[in-house]
Amino acid sequence: MYPEKSHRPCSSDGSLSLSIISSDSMVEIQRTQSEDRSTSVEEEKYRLLYSKSKVYVNPTAYARDNIPGFVALVKREAVNPTYLLAWIPESLLSEKGSGEWDKFVKIEEKAILDEEDEDAVLIDLPTQRPESYAFSVPLTSIYSLQVHPPTLSSWYGSIGINLISGSTLPTLHFHDDESISMTLPSRYARHNSANAYPPSTSSSSRPPTSWGGEDLLSRLRPYAHLLRSTLQPSLFIVDPSKADIDAHTTQIFDDDAVDDILAQSSYASSHSPVPAHLRPRPLSSPNAPTDTAPSPYSNRSSILHRALYPPSISTTQSNSQARMALLQSFSNITRATRYAAQNILSHPLAKPIVPHLPDPVRSLVNVHGDLEWGSWVEKGGVGEFESARVYLARWARIVAEEGDRARKREAQAVPSSSDLVEEISPLGVFELLHSTINLPSPSASRDPEHPVDEELWAKWFAEDGRPKVSIEEMKGQVFRRGITPRGTLRKKMWPFILGVHEWDVTSNERDKRWEEKRNRYHHIKDEWWGVPEVFDRSDILEERHRIDVDCRRTDRTQPLFSTAYEDATVDGKTGKNDRRFTTISPQTSDIGSQSPSNEHIDRLAGILLTYNFYDKELGESISSPLIYGIQREKPGYVQGMSDLCAPLYVVMSSDEELTFWCFVEVMKRMNQNFLRDQSGMKKQLMTLQELISVMDPDLYRHLEKTDGLNLFFCFRWVLIAFKREFPFDDVLRLWEVLWTDYYSNDFVLFVALAVLESHRDMILRYLVEFDEILKYCNELSMTIELDSTLAQAEVLFLSFAQLVADIERRRAEETSNSTNGVLRRRGTSTSGVKASLSKVAMPTLSDNLRDLLKAGR
Amino acid sequence: MRPQLLKVIILGDSGVGKTSLMNQFVNSRFNSQYKATIGADFLTKEVTVDNRLVTMQIWDTAGQERFQSLGVAYYRGADCCVLVYDVNNSKSFENLNNWRDEFLIQASPHDAERFPFVVLGNKIDVDESRRQVTQKRVLAWCQSKGNIPYFETSAKEAVNVQEAFAVVARNALQQEAEEQLYVDYPDPIQIDRESTQSYGCNC
């Protein structure tokens, strides 16, 4: 069945002979003693060359069944040494005692592999235990490796191992975030990777090896030739035969053809600026140069490249002819690659792969005719969310989607004036305006690498504490650069950005006013503190309970909140006033399933309770300018507020008064999010929806079809300003940018749009139900790269502002020419392109959208 | 063939353990520091009910009542609703009425009277002396609402969680089958008339 690999002896070069018994998912490899006289079994030495921890085998679909282990490269010492690839579960290794375990750890921590090292680490040959999935196989018995680097939707990369015998070994999943070798900063000079989780694949901060599987491949390379299949980029053939080489080097497209298209097309600077690190890009081998020459097309031979620049097309030919030729060749490609994909699956060589495929994909094997990629998705259904979607992302995205989209983009990229009308609808207004008016493409101005530091901050003030720069200047700097996390600069600056401290005054004046605020805080707090008739009132009891349960589960990984009370006997009878009026509610003292509290959690709760009274005071005495026409309500404590307050408490290094007044300012910006009738949230999501409709009509239509226009999957993002979507330190960086109100008071909506745009391709292609989009968006949490997202948000804002300006200009032109206006209204325009263009494309800008251009409060 | 999807909604006051129950059921895990749920999320689990493989999609929502106006997007098409309270917090029990009413309004199932609910009294691992709601009181309420099945659970110690969700699954499956009737015959009055007629003919 399988092509002979006659060029190399198969397991006949050592004392190891293998008999492989394959049952469903496990492979048992029995080692039998060989007749080879040169080495006796007693003298067999196995040298550990490479080891990597936290490589998992997943026997079932449930994460709880995953088995952690070590993957290892082992050399059997002999005249003709054999190299073995092994996987040993942690449990098996720990059975052998700590000595053996330490060897694996030691080798893993070692950066350089040195076979001749004097302190060679000898180990027992890992035993074969099918029931524990352990294996060790000579490299010569491996036929191919199925390599899947980590993606956004699948955090952990994996490698499947197919043996020459046709059987497969359990797929190895690389949990790099848990593994020493990938998290040790000393091993590689990794910059900025401490917060990167999952390991960043962006090219700017790409470490020498981006994930554990790639590392393993590079370790295998000295011992085996790994040929990457061009048919299926995730397939690596180990020591390929000639037949293998022929079968797997057919040029369908070069690895970087897709990227070339992206760079070539309007995509790169278009209205959906997907950051480079999110674009589909096949795993590139670490040795191969990935950078291409400036003008690579001339020497490309792949079909895709030839289609991109067909030799017959010269610039003098008419545009439409050129486009037709392009369209033609792209559709050929799309079809060709689909068949190619299908052929791979049906090919005998692929047989070892088939068991690894998710069911919907497996069903394609032997299917003929045109393939409906969409139907795979439907077959996958909710239950197979992971497998089917992710698999499709890997295959279909590269093969079909790019071909289709590139074709569409090429069609759009060369509008001649006579073609404009027919191309309006798929383009969307935004791109239309860009392509016709030649507006400069906006670019991001942020420079987060150089945050504002203490030195610069000090320079901004005169000796009397009066600032030498304007507050706008200061905020502009913060928007572009952020604030250094070192020291306590944030604690100094945040109160200014938020407006707790006044800017244009001397420090004396400022201190005086701050003293007033401090006193005011305690005045408000004293309304409940030490006043049993208030503190124990039933409505306050309920409020205390709500606050307490949430504070106990907010940011508990922060050092201030992570410890429990040393004195566990918290109850009213201890007599001390500060314990008596702790906000811990009687229902949930430190017993039961609630996590225990501590003094900081308690103070945080106290601040939130005090805010209740401050807010009440506000409601009674001042008519708030924030909400027009609605009677101001007292929101009280609402879930989410603890998320907004806790980071303030941490940054203000537990200063109660500062935290309180910063929180007051944050709530001035955000209290509409917490109204009882949710009108504020609805308004924000409505605005976001309108923003999508003008900026990305395709996405808008897709959301319409999937019942997703309510944008509830953005609810958490907006309600608490992405608090749950980023690691704590990133949240601080994001918030200070948002608070500057530099471009827009609602910049958070542009951040939300930026995140959606980064994932629009996945959403458009694969997510066909509201619940799927919700799940997908919820799971983006902690995977979003902050700086590229902010850069995108900025570009989106600038594009939006241009769009608005342009629409206004056209409107003005339109009204000045009333004749045209009449014709258009009747829909009988004969003046051709321009009239129908404005008729079709001119969106109405709602007040909500116009308000997005308001900056500064 | 794709297994049947059963949609289950978990409701109850904030902090009663909705997220914990869901995670205990789906992942057999407990963590005392689940963050307060903002918005909504769901997990899926395949289970076998009476030899049928079904996928349960369990929706976990925010517990503060003001977020319930968003419920309509999540509740639609639900096959069963799990009402959770904390046995150590009587207020959370008293609120079950509101939760049930609110659900019926927003989900608007065809037959509100017979829509399956299951009530869970959670956190029974907490010391008995702190208990605020007696079994008798709960059972009386459950009976008054059409004999809602009741379980006392501990998400922390995995007590009764699987058992409770087995009943949820079974009742949801039954509900799904009944809803299917409405889908096939969109106008229930029509069915009645036809059946009356056919009876007439037979007699």
Side-chain angles (χ1 to χ4, degrees), chain B residues 102-118:
Chain B
E102 189 65 27
F103 174 83
L104 289 174
I105 291 166
Q106 298 214 28
S108 52
H110 282 100
D111 189 351
E113 290 298 305
R114 295 179 56 194
F115 186 86
F117 288 90
V118 172

Side-chain angles (χ1 to χ4, degrees), chain A residues 92-111:
Chain A
L92 204 64
L93 205 55
S94 53
E95 273 175 28
K96 295 185 183 226
S98 63
E100 198 71 6
W101 181 290
D102 291 345
K103 289 178 190 171
F104 278 77
V105 174
K106 184 182 159 200
I107 289 292
E108 173 165 25
E109 286 172 346
K110 245 164 113 173

Side-chain angles (χ1 to χ4, degrees), chain A residues 62-64 378-384 542 545-546 549-550 552-557 562 586-596 633-640 643 673-678 681-682 685 707 710 712-713 715-716 719-720 724 770-772 774-775 778 782, chain B residues 1-3 5 7 13-17 19 25-47 55 57 59 61-74 76 86 88-92 95 122-123 125-127 130 132 156:
Chain A
Y62 296 107
R64 62 161 186 268
E378 277 150 35
K379 278 187 205 163
V382 178
E384 301 206 26
E542 276 177 39
H545 174 72
R546 273 195 287 272
V549 292
D550 280 2
R552 284 169 188 253
R553 46 185 177 165
T554 303
D555 291 323
R556 292 304 296 266
T557 51
S562 63
Q587 290 100 324
T588 54
S589 290
D590 296 331
I591 298 169
S593 34
Q594 282 284 330
S595 341
E633 63 164 319
K634 162 183 162 273
Y637 172 80
V638 184
Q639 289 198 314
D643 276 289
N673 287 5
F674 298 97
L675 299 179
R676 184 167 301 278
D677 62 358
Q678 295 293 304
M681 280 305 294
K682 282 173 186 162
L685 293 177
D707 270 343
N710 57 32
F712 280 0
F713 39 83
F715 186 85
R716 190 173 69 194
L719 184 83
I720 48 175
R724 299 279 182 89
F770 167 72
D771 54 1
E772 291 170 356
L774 179 89
K775 190 79 187 161
N778 279 349
M782 303 300 150
Chain B
M1 190 192 133
R2 176 179 167 177
L5 186 73
K7 186 170 178 180
D13 279 7
S14 75
V16 297
T19 307
F25 170 60
V26 174
N27 298 317
S28 307
R29 266 201 301 251
F30 176 78
N31 175 349
S32 62
Q33 284 170 14
Y34 288 119
K35 293 172 183 166
T37 304
I38 306 271
D41 200 1
F42 65 84
L43 291 176
T44 54
K45 179 171 180 159
E46 287 196 357
V47 293
T55 301
Q57 185 188 49
W59 285 79
T61 55
Q64 197 159 4
E65 82 285 356
R66 77 182 57 204
F67 292 118
Q68 291 314 308
S69 61
L70 311 163
V72 66
Y74 303 121
R76 201 186 309 141
D86 174 355
N88 312 295
N89 177 348
S90 58
K91 187 77 191 167
S92 71
N95 278 338
N122 193 34
K123 303 195 187 182
D125 50 277
V126 176
D127 192 273
R130 300 195 160 256
Q132 294 189 353
K156 185 183 187 182

Side-chain angles (χ1 to χ4, degrees), chain A residues 137-149:
Chain A
V137 293
L139 294 186
T140 48
S141 70
I142 299 175
Y143 176 68
S144 68
L145 302 170
Q146 188 77 28
V147 180
H148 293 298

Side-chain angles (χ1 to χ4, degrees), chain A residues 10-21 27-34 82 84 125 128 136-142 163 165:
Chain A
C10 177
S11 57
S12 59
D13 54 347
S15 63
L16 216 55
S17 74
L18 294 166
S19 66
I20 295 168
I21 303 149
V27 178
E28 184 181 328
I29 299 160
Q30 292 164 343
R31 192 160 58 91
T32 52
Q33 197 174 331
S34 148
T82 316
L84 304 156
L125 178 74
Q128 303 299 337
S136 72
V137 293
L139 294 186
T140 48
S141 70
I142 299 175
L163 300 179
S165 63

Side-chain angles (χ1 to χ4, degrees), chain A residues 99-292:
Chain A
E100 198 71 6
W101 181 290
D102 291 345
K103 289 178 190 171
F104 278 77
V105 174
K106 184 182 159 200
I107 289 292
E108 173 165 25
E109 286 172 346
K110 245 164 113 173
I112 305 142
L113 177 130
D114 182 5
E115 257 192 76
E116 306 311 323
D117 194 343
E118 279 307 302
D119 332 314
V121 174
L122 302 179
I123 54 160
D124 293 344
L125 178 74
T127 18
Q128 303 299 337
R129 290 233 207 133
E131 75 280 4
S132 66
Y133 298 92
F135 64 77
S136 72
V137 293
L139 294 186
T140 48
S141 70
I142 299 175
Y143 176 68
S144 68
L145 302 170
Q146 188 77 28
V147 180
H148 293 298
T151 64
L152 273 174
S153 42
S154 171
W155 291 24
Y156 300 120
S158 67
I159 293 189
I161 302 162
N162 307 307
L163 300 179
I164 289 176
S165 63
S167 25
T168 60
L169 294 173
T171 302
L172 303 178
H173 299 264
F174 292 78
H175 290 215
D176 290 337
D177 52 314
E178 302 165 27
S179 169
I180 335 165
S181 56
M182 300 305 286
T183 49
L184 256 186
S186 60
R187 179 156 181 182
Y188 304 118
R190 293 162 148 231
H191 61 288
N192 283 344
S193 63
N195 296 331
Y197 181 79
S200 164
T201 51
S202 72
S203 52
S204 60
S205 63
R206 183 190 285 273
T209 46
S210 63
W211 65 287
E214 199 179 316
D215 193 32
L216 176 62
L217 290 186
S218 71
R219 300 315 183 104
L220 292 178
R221 282 203 167 86
Y223 309 104
H225 174 208
L226 302 182
L227 172 78
R228 182 165 184 197
S229 169
T230 50
L231 292 178
Q232 195 209 354
S234 61
L235 189 68
F236 287 74
I237 317 290
V238 180
D239 287 338
S241 66
K242 180 148 191 323
D244 293 331
I245 292 171
D246 289 345
H248 287 279
T249 50
T250 313
Q251 287 284 343
I252 291 174
F253 50 80
D254 294 334
D255 285 352
D256 49 0
V258 165
D259 297 271
D260 290 339
I261 294 175
L262 290 173
Q264 236 350 80
S265 70
S266 56
Y267 198 51
S269 58
S270 82
H271 62 298
S272 39
V274 177
H277 74 285
L278 295 177
R279 286 189 202 149
R281 187 187 177 90
L283 172 82
S284 48
S285 89
N287 302 331
T290 46
D291 287 339
T292 49

